[in-house]
Amino acid sequence: MKERLLTSWADTFRQEVFGRIPETLFAPLFSDIESRPNAPINVIIGGEILKAGFGWTDEELVDHLGFDLLTRHALGLDEVRAEAPTIRTFYNLRRRVREYAQENGQNLYSEVFAHITDEQISKFAVKTNWQRMDSTQLLSNIALMNRLELVIATLQKGVSGLPKALQQQWGQAQESYLSQPAQTICYRLKAADATPHLQAVGQLLLQVWMQLEAHEADASLIAIVARVIREQYQVEGENVITLRPAAAISGDSLQSPHDPEATYRHKHEQGYKGYVTNLSETCDPTNAVQLITSVQTAPNCVDDGQLLADTLIDLAQRQVVIDQATVDGGYNGPTSEAACRQHCVQLRPTTIRGGQTDWTNLLRLVQSSAYHLFFIP
């Protein structure tokens, strides 16, 4: 049984991932005076990695930590009496990591990934000169909202940030917009009836925004309401706004008041709301194992060429050598080409960027040119 354990995925994870987690990175999140001991950082971060890798929920993660011997071995919890972190411990550390990133611009999870990967590159002598890169869409964890749902949901969120007395007044005066979820309200409307409601809700949003400002409500909530007004409407006077044409709404406009960073992108004849993630992986055929060397996530309106440029900066800072990158046609363009010149990287696109050729019009053009070439006196 011990031999099976030491040849399982759990022991590989323990040696190659868990044992490389740099706990000192997280020191700024904790008090520097004598305090109660914290749960082991490497167990929490290792648990987060396993949760993502296996697709567990938080409850499933805690169950595996409590009852699964392979998971416990992977995270160094060999003693049966060794306590595992509670679900609240995971929540609290995530919140601290997020707040620290917002305040300092430093993503500690990304640094953990870079530290572990760079050590693995060194140990396994992985050649990083030749890498391949690709991006994929990540759907935001939000409902797919149409335009009316968006403004109603923003109105509801804005009203929830007002003092209780004002919330009650709004609830009585605008029950039709505030008593049900935005999706339920829109479901009962015909498409032709949407425009009057969009205009009416816009006027209400303007009032809510002014009341939020007057009562010094949460700054992030005020910013969301103001952003929706700015992107969806034109303010023509102190209390008058008109609806912008749908064609005037850009892809980086707010998609949901519950996820302000998600954007919209149309790709391969399909619309996406959320983010894009870009990965770079070693691909030298002589490597015994290939490693993902860089992971980026950005609003999905960010161009692939910019993601490539950011990846090269990241790899250069970590002193990961790359001199050629295999990519698809979406990475071509001035931004990526300039970045490759700066970092002495050969770009190897598998296709050329461009739209679909209209073969019918092209054939007509060729025929027309041939006619004029050979038959004009």
Side-chain angles (χ1 to χ4, degrees):
M1 293 297 291
K2 183 176 181 181
E3 182 180 351
R4 289 183 61 188
L5 177 64
L6 297 181
T7 55
S8 70
W9 68 263
D11 197 67
T12 301
F13 184 92
R14 179 169 178 158
Q15 303 301 325
E16 303 302 339
V17 179
F18 177 75
R20 302 183 188 281
I21 295 173
E23 295 182 277
T24 54
L25 267 180
F26 296 83
L29 306 184
F30 297 89
S31 174
D32 56 1
I33 63 175
E34 230 176 274
S35 310
R36 288 179 298 171
N38 61 280
I41 292 297
N42 56 359
V43 175
I44 302 174
I45 302 304
E48 293 279 23
I49 296 172
L50 289 179
K51 177 196 168 185
F54 285 110
W56 295 332
T57 64
D58 286 324
E59 289 79 8
E60 288 173 332
L61 168 61
V62 172
D63 283 346
H64 280 285
L65 283 169
F67 307 114
D68 181 358
L69 293 179
L70 285 175
T71 301
R72 290 179 66 85
H73 178 78
L75 299 176
L77 300 172
D78 293 323
E79 294 295 329
V80 175
R81 294 181 181 273
E83 292 187 10
T86 65
I87 196 168
R88 179 58 56 186
T89 301
F90 286 99
Y91 291 164
N92 287 338
L93 188 67
R94 285 177 204 157
R95 175 179 52 79
R96 291 187 185 184
V97 170
R98 182 181 67 251
E99 292 172 351
Y100 186 79
Q102 291 170 340
E103 294 171 4
N104 300 278
Q106 183 180 8
N107 186 333
L108 298 180
Y109 288 147
S110 292
E111 296 197 18
V112 168
F113 167 82
H115 178 87
I116 293 173
T117 301
D118 292 348
E119 285 196 357
Q120 290 173 342
I121 289 172
S122 177
K123 176 181 177 180
F124 297 111
V126 175
K127 297 177 182 177
T128 62
N129 302 67
W130 182 10
Q131 299 191 33
R132 58 181 177 178
M133 196 177 302
D134 202 1
S135 64
T136 187
Q137 298 293 313
L138 294 179
L139 292 180
S140 172
N141 189 24
I142 57 176
L144 295 179
M145 291 187 169
N146 61 34
R147 199 174 179 186
L148 183 56
E149 284 181 60
L150 171 65
V151 296
I152 293 176
T154 304
L155 175 67
Q156 294 175 348
K157 190 173 180 66
V159 170
S160 70
L162 293 171
K164 292 294 183 183
L166 279 177
Q167 288 186 39
Q168 292 175 358
Q169 293 177 19
W170 273 93
Q172 294 171 359
Q174 302 297 333
E175 182 180 0
S176 60
Y177 289 130
L178 300 176
S179 61
Q180 303 175 80
Q183 184 180 20
T184 302
I185 297 170
C186 295
Y187 177 76
R188 296 172 178 169
L189 296 175
K190 295 180 180 178
D193 298 331
T195 300
H197 286 283
L198 281 166
Q199 185 65 41
V201 175
Q203 295 292 155
L204 297 175
L205 276 174
L206 194 59
Q207 296 175 33
V208 168
W209 173 71
M210 290 188 289
Q211 290 185 358
L212 289 169
E213 287 273 16
H215 290 85
E216 298 181 351
D218 180 75
S220 61
L221 178 57
I222 295 175
I224 288 174
V225 176
R227 179 180 173 187
V228 169
I229 294 172
R230 181 178 68 253
E231 292 174 345
Q232 300 291 333
Y233 301 91
Q234 290 176 320
V235 181
E236 299 179 340
E238 187 175 341
N239 295 306
V240 180
I241 64 175
T242 57
L243 189 65
R244 288 183 183 274
I249 310 300
S250 66
D252 60 357
S253 63
L254 186 76
Q255 303 300 307
S256 167
H258 308 293
D259 193 351
E261 295 180 350
T263 54
Y264 177 84
R265 184 176 183 181
H266 190 80
K267 185 176 182 180
H268 302 315
E269 300 182 356
Q270 186 173 348
Y272 298 90
K273 290 185 178 182
Y275 302 87
V276 61
T277 188
N278 189 65
L279 295 94
S280 186
E281 179 188 32
T282 61
C283 59
D284 190 303
T286 63
N287 285 334
V289 62
Q290 308 293 355
L291 294 176
I292 293 174
T293 58
S294 179
V295 179
Q296 303 160 276
T297 302
N300 68 5
C301 61
V302 176
D303 187 72
D304 286 348
Q306 184 60 55
L307 295 173
L308 181 144
D310 294 340
T311 294
L312 295 184
I313 293 173
D314 171 53
L315 295 177
Q317 290 174 342
R318 291 161 48 196
Q319 298 183 337
V320 176
V321 177
I322 174 173
D323 51 38
Q324 54 181 319
T326 298
V327 296
D328 62 34
Y331 289 85
N332 288 321
T335 302
S336 57
E337 290 167 5
C340 287
R341 285 195 298 271
Q342 179 183 352
H343 295 278
C344 300
V345 174
Q346 178 187 1
L347 194 62
R348 302 178 59 178
T350 57
T351 57
I352 298 175
R353 192 174 196 168
Q356 293 289 333
T357 301
D358 187 339
W359 293 106
T360 303
N361 288 336
L362 181 59
L363 180 60
R364 289 173 181 168
L365 178 63
V366 170
Q367 290 174 336
S368 175
S369 300
Y371 175 83
H372 286 291
L373 180 62
F374 293 107
F375 296 98
I376 291 180

